[in-house]
Amino acid sequence: MPIHWKPRFLWTLLVPILSIPRSLASETFEEELTIRALPDGKVASRFSFSTLLEGATPRNPQNLSAEDTSQHYTLFPLALGQILREYAVAEMHLTLNAGKWDYERWGYPDETDVGSGAELWAWMGDGAGATVDERWRGLRNALAGLFCASLGSLDELRTTSPAFSFAPHGGVPDAPLPLAIRHASMPSEHVCTENLTSFLKLLPCKSLSGIASLLNPHRLFDADWHGMGLHVAWLPDEGVQVRLTFQSVADPLRASLSKRDWSFASMFDRTIDRTCPSTASSRVIVALPLNEAYSIHPQPSSVEQGHAIFDLEGQNPPLDVSMQWAVDFDHAAVRPRSAEAPLSVRRTLQGSSQDLGRLSVFITNDGTADIQAAYLETMPWIVQFYLHTMTLRVDGVTRDDLIQNISYIPPIPHARAMTFQAVLALPARSTVHLSIDVRKAFLRYTEHPPDAQRGWDLPPAVLVPLGIGSGVERHGRRIYTPTLLVDLATPDFSMPYNVIIFSCTLVAYIFASVFNLLTRRFVVLHAELN
Amino acid sequence: MPPHIHPEGTTLRDPSKLFHQTDYIRRLIIASYWVIIILAIPLWWQTTSIERLSLPTSRVHAQAENKLRFPVHIKLESVQDASLPSALRHLLQDRIRRSPQAWKGLDVRVREVRDGQDVDAVEPADSYTIKADDGIPLVSQRQLTYPVRGGTLPILADALASLLVPPIDAHRVAQYSPRYRLAFTLLNEDAAAGKSISGWDISGAISRHLSPILSGLSVLHNFTIESQVQFHAPLAFSPTRLDKGYGLTPEDLTVFVNSAEWSLSSSVSNDPVLHFIVFIPSASRRPLQILDAHGLPSSSDAFLLPQWGGIVIYNPPPELDAHVQLPSSALNAVFSAFANQLLALLGVPGLPREMRTDASVLTGWQLDALLRRRALENAEGAQDTLESIVKLVDQIENMPVGQDVRGDVQDALTALDKMYASASASLNETLRQSADALTLASRAFFNPGMLALLYFPAEHNFAVYTPLFASAMIPLIAAAIREVSVWRKQRREAAQALE
């Protein structure tokens, strides 16, 4: 009888006993809805549901091969907790956005990550038995299953490691291993109801009570812009925090040209009828207009710094917050650029050929001070940069001194994406024009997507202003450019059999002609004249 | 002007005198085409053929004939009457004859031990002892204390039958797996309706009620434990209204689990999950009771879904405050129900009703019976799977068989061999080998590489290639036939000329 076999099993028995301290860790759930009117008359709302697992730390990847402790959760979503433990993820951010966030008209978003389509980035401890890339693949596939999104296609062809622009939000655990980042984005991902359904399943009260009951897919997916996010971070003194966010930009002016009044009922077609019993705090925060006459209903619980705060505990259900303006909206008064976001980026891909093109980026600094900014491009290998053709111009004058610290990880065809990062100096009140020639790849037959003729979506570039903030937020918030669409040489996929048959026939014809010439017998016929 | 009119003075050359128009060269050209084609056939055959390694078919069939046999040694101790062992032997033989299916794989031997002196010199490792002693029958680790007398022998034989081959409801028992996930869920039907349960002391309850069972079963399975609390878990149907509260009919129980709305399952591993659910009805639907077939409330508040898990319905007392932890009395009741459900789902046999035990959780009798049954199941499963693979590969000629499939099949056969070798020595080892054999056989059976060309049949290839090959081959064949007929004609003419 093999004696060595038993101790392994006995060891697993200790696990439930060892896990007792972890399960005593308390969990708190807070929900918040922030609503603010945007300068152009639209209304931005941001739902934030955050669950804190107090005292918890991310799993040390060195212990991945060993048995994990039992996982007991009350408010924290178990399905997500399992994924985080299974792949020892220290921090991760997943966003699924639809539409283009208009920085010039709307200013900065409440949640930074607004790149179109799906974006996933994660920080994981490096150097353990299971490599970061293996765990990254597992994480992608697990989240794809959890959110019913095609995150599985965020594969090696789209994965990069832009550590600077995507610095961790939370703390870095005292693990002996350094953290490594993996980032991938999929601009062509369509955000849909099934993503929201699985998103809602992660909430303790689903969408049946509390603020989450306003998340009505029929209205949210009708908004001008909408996006959902999942943010997991380790806050050193608190624990592991999971934050689920949903942002949308509704347009009350769509229904009536002059009235920008809104209410829960008009924006979401729902009201808050019941409170969720498991929340520690549940608040609706409405930004109040500064120099305009308005009325807000019902009476807020408190008003702080120009924000009306409705505490769901103190309000009588059903709660239907509504806001009316005294005067009609004046479309002419909309200023095209808000002072809040001094930088704006325009990025285009020029050139009509399917072989070569030119990437052209215009970065405008409207502010009165010079700004340093880190510019990041993460391109799949299908678009390759000719770095020697890169030029920077300000008002037509070449200014190569404006670019520093270029770091470039070249793409590997069919295998790795490209990372290009540079620090740009953006002079005050001017536009910097960065241009670079690109080559478009010729793909293999099997590498084309099912809708090959549509073209390929390229991920947004990211601009991070440097040295703007102070303290922990040393750098400004990320600005995402709109995505691009590139047209690659595409074969005719509609009739492959016809193509095969035509070319086979041609080859057979040529073969037979040559063969006949080689083997034909020539004879002289003597025709009798007359 | 016709082309064959030549200017005066030029002589007309006979084309057949040209170098490339000689019969010999022309025939060489045609022959070289055919030679290349014939030489290319093996290459074409090799590049388009499917890798089909031969499977150890004869070993698989031979292995299928093998039957697992477990020796079961029963020692009778301190028996007064020397005829009792043989009488017991006969009674057991009689029972084996009556239900051979239940006793399948068991070789029962009864021996007598007198005054500590074993009649048989060889002492088997796992043997069971029956000690004759008056009093209430007592089951210890591998020992049974029983008042062995002539009159009680038939009852003893029945007791032995239910200890060695306990009756089990096979439909309930989850399929064997070396590792299970136990998922505990506290489900509030609607917490917002008030008086919900906000949490439970799950770790304490598990260590009190389940850990002894899990440690007792550690030779069979590993367990991963997880738990969650949900605050909104609507039912997919409306329970029947009763005079006082609501009721669940037996039909309702079959559709009780609302898997669309309850996020119970997780996808991080492939281990089978056993679910254990405490369901707290909404405040407006209390008390929720389980109804029997006659529509009357039954005394039980728990039910078991075969191979899936167990569910306990807990109606909080009306005096309970809103939003509290699950009271400890309720927690204990719930977890003792869970413990019973877990035993039933894992196929752990109970003890005969009239017997007491001094073992804390499981006796050696129960554990051995379970080990034997699981090993037999696994062995049969592995043999069946291996036979299916061989049959499938035989039937579908397009199915590739790679090195990994063959390796898995061979390893499974080796594990089966080891299992037979260890059957008389160690039950644990037998079970482990049988589990290995089953895992390997299933892995071979579900190998994705075997599906590779299943949907790319030869007809497709021909449909694509025919436009090329058919049209290229026609001139080749025509030229060959023409040349052969010319050559035969020339030979015939030459023969006639000789005559």
Side-chain angles (χ1 to χ4, degrees):
Chain A
M1 174 159 167
I3 306 293
H4 64 273
W5 189 43
K6 267 194 168 170
R8 201 180 52 167
F9 288 102
L10 288 175
W11 188 85
T12 59
L13 299 171
L14 295 173
V15 166
I17 303 156
L18 291 174
S19 70
I20 291 170
R22 235 180 69 80
S23 66
L24 292 179
S26 62
E27 298 164 37
T28 48
F29 174 67
E30 293 176 356
E31 53 180 9
E32 194 178 275
L33 166 61
T34 319
I35 300 179
R36 63 187 170 107
L38 295 170
D40 67 347
K42 297 189 171 55
V43 179
S45 46
R46 192 260 315 239
F47 296 80
S48 166
F49 307 93
S50 100
T51 312
L52 184 70
L53 196 60
E54 282 168 25
T57 49
R59 192 174 180 188
N60 184 350
Q62 283 175 315
N63 303 337
L64 268 179
S65 51
E67 186 94 6
D68 194 14
T69 54
S70 301
Q71 295 177 58
H72 299 297
Y73 298 118
T74 307
L75 300 168
F76 199 86
L78 173 69
L80 183 65
Q82 282 176 330
I83 293 172
L84 295 176
R85 303 276 315 166
E86 178 79 17
Y87 304 109
V89 179
E91 172 162 340
M92 62 147 281
H93 301 266
L94 167 70
T95 46
L96 297 166
N97 299 320
K100 183 189 92 169
W101 182 271
D102 193 341
Y103 288 92
E104 296 191 15
R105 295 161 71 104
W106 301 343
Y108 279 114
D110 294 321
E111 297 292 335
T112 316
D113 297 353
V114 291
S116 302
E119 183 185 39
L120 174 68
W121 51 287
W123 284 89
M124 289 177 279
D126 193 3
T131 65
V132 171
D133 288 312
E134 283 169 30
R135 279 146 56 206
W136 167 245
R137 188 184 320 120
L139 175 71
R140 257 165 21 209
N141 292 331
L143 287 173
L146 192 61
F147 280 96
C148 300
S150 39
L151 302 175
S153 37
L154 294 174
D155 50 7
E156 287 69 29
L157 299 177
R158 296 181 173 274
T159 301
T160 55
S161 309
F164 180 77
S165 299
F166 294 89
H169 283 193
V172 178
D174 288 330
L177 302 173
L179 288 187
I181 188 184
R182 290 293 178 272
H183 172 275
S185 61
M186 174 87 171
S188 52
E189 175 73 15
H190 291 281
V191 186
C192 195
T193 320
E194 69 250 28
N195 304 128
L196 183 67
T197 309
S198 31
F199 174 92
L200 291 173
K201 278 191 177 177
L202 299 178
L203 299 175
C205 287
K206 310 285 191 307
S207 68
L208 292 161
S209 62
I211 286 173
S213 57
L214 295 177
L215 289 169
N216 176 2
H218 293 284
R219 302 309 297 268
L220 292 172
F221 290 123
D222 183 40
D224 285 21
W225 186 93
H226 60 84
M228 63 183 84
L230 165 68
H231 306 277
V232 182
W234 178 65
L235 311 176
D237 297 327
E238 300 175 53
V240 173
Q241 187 197 46
V242 166
R243 218 158 53 80
L244 291 149
T245 60
F246 197 101
Q247 294 189 89
S248 76
V249 175
D251 189 4
L253 297 168
R254 203 194 280 173
S256 79
L257 275 177
S258 54
K259 287 277 178 208
R260 53 185 157 150
D261 306 344
W262 57 262
S263 67
F264 283 174
S266 74
M267 275 203 298
F268 307 113
D269 202 19
R270 283 186 189 169
T271 54
I272 302 176
D273 298 334
R274 302 189 296 177
T275 55
C276 174
S278 38
T279 51
S281 104
S282 182
R283 302 193 302 172
V284 176
I285 300 171
V286 181
L288 300 173
L290 287 177
N291 303 317
E292 287 169 285
Y294 65 92
S295 73
I296 189 163
H297 180 85
Q299 187 66 31
S301 310
S302 62
V303 176
E304 283 172 25
Q305 296 171 339
H307 289 83
I309 297 169
F310 297 86
D311 204 326
L312 255 60
E313 282 294 304
Q315 298 285 340
N316 289 330
L319 179 66
D320 181 10
V321 177
S322 63
M323 193 157 177
Q324 282 93 34
W325 273 262
V327 289
D328 286 354
F329 183 67
D330 181 10
H331 288 272
V334 177
R335 283 182 301 144
R337 188 161 295 169
S338 77
E340 194 195 352
L343 291 182
S344 68
V345 191
R346 215 147 43 82
R347 188 172 71 138
T348 48
L349 196 62
Q350 299 162 342
S352 57
S353 88
Q354 290 183 328
D355 180 29
L356 294 168
R358 171 181 287 263
L359 182 76
S360 175
V361 186
F362 293 88
I363 307 174
T364 308
N365 179 4
D366 278 340
T368 51
D370 293 2
I371 294 177
Q372 296 256 320
Y375 180 78
L376 171 75
E377 285 277 2
T378 54
M379 286 278 182
W381 70 272
I382 53 172
V383 172
Q384 294 159 6
F385 285 13
Y386 285 125
L387 272 197
H388 68 280
T389 63
M390 184 168 62
T391 56
L392 266 95
R393 287 198 191 85
V394 178
D395 301 328
V397 181
T398 307
R399 290 282 303 275
D400 284 340
D401 58 309
L402 295 180
I403 190 161
Q404 311 151 27
N405 287 351
I406 300 172
S407 73
Y408 175 66
I409 301 170
I412 298 174
H414 314 284
R416 187 177 74 187
M418 179 217 67
T419 315
F420 170 80
Q421 183 162 327
V423 175
L424 303 176
L426 307 170
R429 296 185 192 287
S430 57
T431 299
V432 174
H433 176 203
L434 173 87
S435 83
I436 190 164
D437 286 358
V438 298
R439 199 175 76 82
K440 303 174 187 175
F442 190 78
L443 296 186
R444 290 175 189 153
Y445 183 80
T446 50
E447 282 172 335
H448 288 277
D451 52 348
Q453 307 293 343
R454 186 183 170 273
W456 289 76
D457 288 283
L458 298 178
V462 173
L463 195 69
V464 184
L466 302 177
I468 285 185
S470 58
V472 183
E473 294 207 357
R474 240 166 356 98
H475 306 307
R477 292 191 280 179
R478 279 190 295 279
I479 299 171
Y480 287 83
T481 68
T483 58
L484 295 173
L485 193 67
V486 61
D487 181 27
L488 301 180
T490 313
D492 180 6
F493 285 101
S494 57
M495 293 179 281
Y497 280 86
N498 290 10
V499 174
I500 290 167
I501 288 169
F502 277 134
S503 30
C504 284
T505 311
L506 190 70
V507 169
Y509 171 75
I510 293 168
F511 168 83
S513 311
V514 172
F515 178 77
N516 274 339
L517 271 179
L518 282 173
T519 59
R520 174 156 298 161
R521 279 213 305 175
F522 293 98
V523 286
V524 176
L525 291 179
H526 296 282
E528 295 295 324
L529 290 173
N530 303 320
Chain B
M1 194 162 81
H4 55 266
I5 305 295
H6 291 270
E8 287 298 315
T10 58
T11 49
L12 200 62
R13 287 176 71 188
D14 183 3
S16 61
K17 294 286 180 297
L18 288 172
F19 168 70
H20 68 273
Q21 284 288 309
T22 53
D23 280 354
Y24 172 68
I25 294 292
R26 198 181 54 251
R27 283 173 189 166
L28 215 58
I29 292 171
I30 294 171
S32 64
Y33 271 96
W34 281 103
V35 166
I36 286 171
I37 287 171
I38 288 161
L39 286 182
I41 283 175
L43 186 74
W44 172 78
W45 187 258
Q46 218 231 316
T47 48
T48 58
S49 64
I50 306 159
E51 187 190 23
R52 270 170 74 87
L53 300 177
S54 65
L55 290 175
T57 313
S58 57
R59 258 181 92 193
V60 169
H61 289 311
Q63 197 65 267
E65 300 302 313
N66 269 343
K67 290 279 173 275
L68 199 55
R69 306 291 306 175
F70 293 106
V72 175
H73 298 277
I74 300 171
K75 291 192 293 185
L76 267 175
E77 255 181 38
S78 342
V79 191
Q80 306 303 321
D81 193 343
S83 69
L84 284 179
S86 61
L88 180 62
R89 207 171 291 139
H90 279 116
L91 283 168
L92 284 175
Q93 290 297 338
D94 191 38
R95 275 161 183 75
I96 293 169
R97 247 197 318 281
R98 259 187 281 157
S99 54
Q101 195 55 36
W103 289 83
K104 191 176 60 176
L106 266 67
D107 286 334
V108 184
R109 296 212 188 104
V110 182
R111 290 183 295 109
E112 185 185 359
V113 183
R114 204 174 277 269
D115 307 329
Q117 286 281 312
D118 208 328
V119 177
D120 208 342
V122 187
E123 176 76 13
D126 299 329
S127 60
Y128 305 93
T129 316
I130 300 172
K131 215 172 189 161
D133 193 10
D134 287 347
I136 306 166
L138 176 75
V139 185
S140 314
Q141 199 38 245
R142 279 202 174 78
Q143 187 176 309
L144 172 66
T145 314
Y146 199 83
V148 186
R149 283 187 300 272
T152 59
L153 266 192
I155 310 168
L156 174 62
D158 284 338
L160 279 177
S162 59
L163 280 173
L164 292 172
V165 283
I168 284 287
D169 186 354
H171 298 290
R172 284 185 172 187
V173 179
Q175 211 195 354
Y176 178 81
S177 159
R179 176 178 287 276
Y180 287 107
R181 297 170 80 84
L182 305 182
F184 296 89
T185 314
L186 173 65
L187 281 181
N188 285 289
E189 189 187 357
D190 187 359
K195 300 232 169 180
S196 61
I197 302 291
S198 66
W200 49 352
D201 175 22
I202 175 87
S203 306
I206 287 174
S207 61
R208 276 195 305 279
H209 294 274
L210 294 180
S211 292
I213 297 175
L214 302 185
S215 62
L217 291 172
S218 61
V219 288
L220 282 134
H221 312 284
N222 281 331
F223 296 96
T224 313
I225 297 173
E226 64 198 31
S227 81
Q228 61 174 328
V229 178
Q230 292 193 20
F231 296 89
H232 275 289
L235 293 173
F237 60 92
S238 303
T240 320
R241 214 188 147 130
L242 302 177
D243 298 339
K244 188 172 164 291
Y246 289 79
L248 297 168
T249 61
E251 292 77 50
D252 290 341
L253 297 185
T254 58
V255 293
F256 188 80
V257 177
N258 183 1
S259 39
E261 305 258 2
W262 306 353
S263 27
L264 296 175
S265 61
S266 57
S267 52
V268 285
S269 77
N270 290 329
D271 304 325
V273 186
L274 298 179
H275 293 277
F276 296 95
I277 291 174
V278 192
F279 186 80
I280 318 285
S282 160
S284 56
R285 277 185 181 162
R286 288 176 196 164
L288 182 67
Q289 288 163 304
I290 297 175
L291 305 179
D292 59 16
H294 309 290
L296 298 170
S298 82
S299 59
S300 164
D301 54 1
F303 61 99
L304 186 132
L305 291 176
Q307 307 187 6
W308 187 86
I311 295 169
V312 177
I313 291 165
Y314 173 65
N315 293 296
E319 64 273 14
L320 206 66
D321 286 339
H323 215 55
V324 291
Q325 293 263 321
L326 193 65
S328 60
S329 59
L331 192 70
N332 286 334
V334 163
F335 269 81
S336 49
F338 281 169
N340 288 331
Q341 289 171 338
L342 177 66
L343 291 175
L345 288 167
L346 294 179
V348 181
L351 285 175
R353 198 155 291 166
E354 67 280 6
M355 299 208 180
R356 309 180 285 119
T357 175
D358 58 358
S360 58
V361 192
L362 296 173
T363 61
W365 298 87
Q366 288 168 290
L367 204 56
D368 289 353
L370 183 58
L371 281 167
R372 281 192 295 265
R373 211 165 49 76
R374 288 298 202 183
L376 278 169
E377 272 174 21
N378 288 346
E380 271 177 24
Q383 286 165 347
D384 287 353
T385 313
L386 288 175
E387 281 207 300
S388 308
I389 296 173
V390 168
K391 210 166 138 193
L392 198 67
V393 170
D394 256 10
Q395 272 176 0
I396 304 176
E397 282 167 12
N398 270 336
M399 183 177 269
V401 180
Q403 185 56 51
D404 43 355
V405 173
R406 184 159 75 164
D408 279 347
V409 168
Q410 282 168 340
D411 290 349
L413 287 169
T414 315
L416 281 176
D417 286 340
K418 282 188 190 157
M419 178 190 77
Y420 290 121
S422 61
S424 55
S426 159
L427 265 181
N428 292 353
E429 178 65 14
T430 311
L431 176 78
R432 193 162 68 95
Q433 296 292 354
S434 73
D436 280 357
L438 183 62
T439 314
L440 289 165
S442 315
R443 196 169 75 184
F445 189 79
F446 292 110
N447 191 306
M450 290 171 79
L451 281 176
L453 289 179
L454 212 54
Y455 302 110
F456 201 59
E459 289 87 341
H460 269 217
N461 277 334
F462 288 124
V464 172
Y465 287 138
T466 313
L468 178 65
F469 287 140
S471 38
M473 286 304 283
I474 287 167
L476 272 177
I477 294 169
I481 292 172
R482 201 173 55 218
E483 261 332 291
V484 167
S485 62
V486 167
W487 172 70
R488 284 175 64 184
K489 206 170 122 196
Q490 284 176 348
R491 258 193 21 172
R492 214 178 308 126
E493 281 167 3
Q496 279 171 1
L498 275 177
E499 283 167 16

